[in-house]
Amino acid sequence: MAAAEHAVSEVVEAEGHLIDSHIMEQIFDAVVETGGRFEVEQFVIGRTNSDPSRLRLRIEVPSRQQIEKLMPQLLSLGCVAVESGDVELRAAERDKCAPEDFYSTTNQRTEVRFNGQWLEVENQRMDAMIVVEEGTASCRRLRDVKAGDRIVVGMKGIRVVPESKERDRLAFAFMSNDISSERQVETAVGQTAAIMQQVRREGKKIIAVAGPVVVHTGGSEALSRLIRGGWIDAVLAGNALAVHDIEAALLGTSLGVRLSDGRQEQHGHRNHMQAINAIYRAGGIRQAVEAGRLRRGVLYECVKANVPFVLAGSLRDDGPLPEVITDMNEAQDAYAAQVRGAGVVLCLSSMLHSIAVGNMLPAWVKIVCVDINPAVPTKVSDRGTGQAVGVVTDVGLFLGLLADKLETK
Ligand SMILES: NC(=O)c1ccc[n+]([C@@H]2O[C@H](COP(=O)([O-])OP(=O)(O)OC[C@H]3O[C@@H](n4cnc5c(N)ncnc54)[C@H](O)[C@@H]3O)[C@@H](O)[C@H]2O)c1
């Protein structure tokens, strides 16, 4: 017979915008759903809109097993055990191999207590380990773990600071964690433009993640205007966006369909291969621009404005173009390098690339996800990217309105 279990208690504290971000309610629910009880030992409400509230809570659950289930949930809601002590570290025995009880990160701002000091974890992202070295702590993907790295294990000495609801009405208040409908497109465009202006003032980057639908829907002209106007700091895409953009620039078609009247061109099925071939003949996209062969379009504007672009490969690709990175680890690294320092990421009609980028970002980087299918923005926000908002509309329409709003030429 199993030994009788004893009730286990723990005192935790949390600080932040606990009421209007509904965090306190979630903390209480988590305790009750685990079969536990709580007692509020102290609650100090923030007196102004910028003051944080403070909560001290005694929790009691029927068994150790339940506290082990509950603590990770409370941790992600910003609770830290009062008697947390220092973080526990264990050395990796081999490359790409973590101790079995490693702590897996969220995309929320995280701190670890080391030698009695709280260290902010650098390069925050989800699904990583935390490595502590020489008084710093940083996120490390499993594939980057090296033998001997000191990795955070267990749940002690870790503090997560959940993003709270925006206080300034400008930011994401308009549709935070919501999917806006077609009727609200103009409002969403206005707010997106305002966020882009704010991100610019803060000196952070604006990143565009784009799928080929941008070209099919006639949105590449507007995206080109945004790049020319200095509104985009990097374009992250795949082979298809580039191929169709170049096909449109060289031949006026997108997958053989004439952009001018929407009709299929005779023998148009070969056009995208002709575009790829033209780039190979020129020696690459930059060379095609420099030689005057490529004279318009998203990639042309990137080369002209010195805006970096990264093309990540996929199993679907034709060609692919010479710039496409076909090693997926390398492609992820190249995307990650560009999103560092981003203030907002515009995800424009690519499920694959939008979700991939969502997984790389810390929770405080905003994402505007534009897709005709509401499931895509939902998926981007579900994967822990709490700051993602969705605009369900045609991407060509959205981009046209956005470029007009920002008065690009
Ligand atoms: N010939 C090729 O080389 C080729 C062709 C297609 C795709 N690919 C590659 O396959 C990968 C996935 O491609 P993807 O990102 O296009 O596919 P995806 O399925 O991941 O995303 C396409 C998204 O566009 C949305 N969409 C469709 N019409 C829309 C509209 N009018 N307005 C707004 N959103 C709309 C869809 O709902 C979908 O979410 C990429 O790496 C791409 O480069 C290659």
Side-chain angles (χ1 to χ4, degrees):
M1 207 172 84
E5 292 267 25
H6 295 287
V8 182
S9 75
E10 184 85 73
V11 180
V12 297
E13 284 179 337
E15 185 181 302
H17 298 303
L18 304 176
I19 300 178
D20 54 355
S21 294
H22 303 284
I23 292 174
M24 195 156 80
E25 178 182 320
Q26 293 177 58
I27 294 172
F28 292 170
D29 285 352
V31 177
V32 174
E33 280 162 18
T34 323
R37 295 185 324 113
F38 63 80
E39 183 190 329
V40 176
E41 290 193 341
Q42 194 184 35
F43 183 64
V44 183
I45 188 166
R47 288 178 49 225
T48 68
N49 62 338
S50 58
D51 284 348
S53 300
R54 287 189 186 82
L55 171 71
R56 187 183 164 104
L57 199 69
R58 175 173 293 279
I59 298 158
E60 194 179 291
V61 290
S63 69
R64 178 136 303 280
Q65 218 180 5
Q66 271 145 320
I67 199 89
E68 275 163 17
K69 190 169 155 224
L70 177 61
M71 283 314 280
Q73 287 180 58
L74 294 185
L75 198 70
S76 65
L77 293 167
C79 293
V80 61
V82 170
E83 287 171 12
S84 157
D86 267 6
V87 79
E88 260 185 89
L89 300 173
R90 195 163 311 131
E93 291 161 34
R94 283 186 280 140
D95 289 359
K96 299 185 175 62
C97 198
E100 286 202 20
D101 54 346
F102 69 88
Y103 170 77
S104 180
T105 59
T106 65
N107 59 356
Q108 309 275 2
R109 210 175 290 278
T110 304
E111 295 169 348
V112 293
R113 211 179 100 146
F114 181 66
N115 288 341
Q117 303 276 325
W118 286 100
L119 304 175
E120 177 159 350
V121 175
E122 294 167 15
N123 292 334
Q124 190 64 50
R125 58 160 295 150
M126 62 198 272
D127 300 333
M129 341 259 120
I130 299 174
V131 173
V132 176
E133 53 190 1
E134 293 165 13
T136 62
S138 56
C139 281
R140 184 98 27 112
R141 290 171 308 192
L142 183 60
R143 69 170 183 256
D144 299 326
V145 165
K146 295 269 175 281
D149 279 349
R150 291 193 303 161
I151 293 181
V152 172
V153 294
M155 289 287 154
K156 274 175 55 187
I158 303 168
R159 185 155 79 186
V160 173
V161 189
E163 287 301 297
S164 51
K165 189 169 154 186
E166 300 275 352
R167 296 311 174 104
D168 62 65
R169 293 292 163 229
L170 175 67
F172 259 21
F174 72 107
M175 49 184 181
S176 203
N177 291 331
D178 248 338
I179 314 295
S180 80
S181 74
E182 194 92 38
R183 278 175 290 122
Q184 297 162 310
V185 170
E186 286 201 20
T187 315
V189 165
Q191 300 284 2
T192 305
I195 290 165
M196 290 167 75
Q197 282 157 337
Q198 183 180 315
V199 165
R200 270 282 170 270
R201 282 194 296 276
E202 291 167 355
K204 294 184 186 153
K205 296 202 279 183
I206 301 170
I207 311 291
V209 177
V213 178
V214 167
V215 183
H216 308 326
T217 57
S220 50
E221 175 54 33
L223 184 53
S224 299
R225 281 164 61 198
L226 289 170
I227 297 168
R228 258 196 320 268
W231 284 106
I232 305 292
D233 296 295
V235 173
L236 309 183
N239 187 55
L241 177 277
V243 170
H244 296 137
D245 174 59
I246 293 165
E247 180 191 332
L250 298 181
L251 303 157
T253 58
S254 177
L255 261 188
V257 175
R258 278 200 298 265
L259 288 164
S260 53
D261 58 11
R263 305 196 53 167
Q264 181 76 38
E265 183 133 323
Q266 231 182 357
H267 304 300
H269 64 89
R270 74 186 288 278
N271 287 10
H272 70 290
M273 292 312 300
Q274 202 177 324
I276 297 169
N277 189 45
I279 296 302
Y280 268 100
R281 288 177 71 87
I285 295 171
R286 173 170 294 279
Q287 291 86 332
V289 172
E290 284 163 357
R293 179 83 179 91
L294 185 62
R295 293 164 188 268
R296 56 196 303 270
V298 173
L299 275 300
Y300 165 84
E301 299 295 346
C302 285
V303 171
K304 280 294 187 193
N306 247 333
V307 168
F309 60 87
V310 181
L311 306 179
S314 88
L315 210 53
R316 288 177 65 177
D317 294 352
D318 296 317
L321 287 163
E323 285 78 1
V324 171
I325 307 173
T326 52
D327 177 313
M328 283 311 120
N329 290 350
E330 260 182 51
Q332 279 188 356
D333 290 351
Y335 264 39
Q338 291 303 334
V339 298
R340 214 157 285 144
V344 65
V345 178
L346 310 178
C347 288
L348 308 165
S349 64
S350 172
M351 176 160 64
L352 180 69
H353 297 279
S354 304
I355 295 172
V357 171
N359 291 350
M360 292 176 191
L361 295 174
W364 56 91
V365 176
K366 296 174 174 61
I367 301 180
V368 177
C369 183
V370 184
D371 202 288
I372 203 86
N373 177 358
V376 178
T378 303
K379 190 137 187 166
V380 171
S381 7
D382 275 359
R383 295 171 78 103
T385 318
Q387 294 298 94
V389 296
V391 186
V392 178
T393 190
D394 177 78
V395 71
L397 170 73
F398 178 89
L399 280 169
L401 292 171
L402 183 64
D404 288 347
K405 190 85 193 168
L406 291 166
E407 293 177 356
T408 57
K409 302 224 165 34

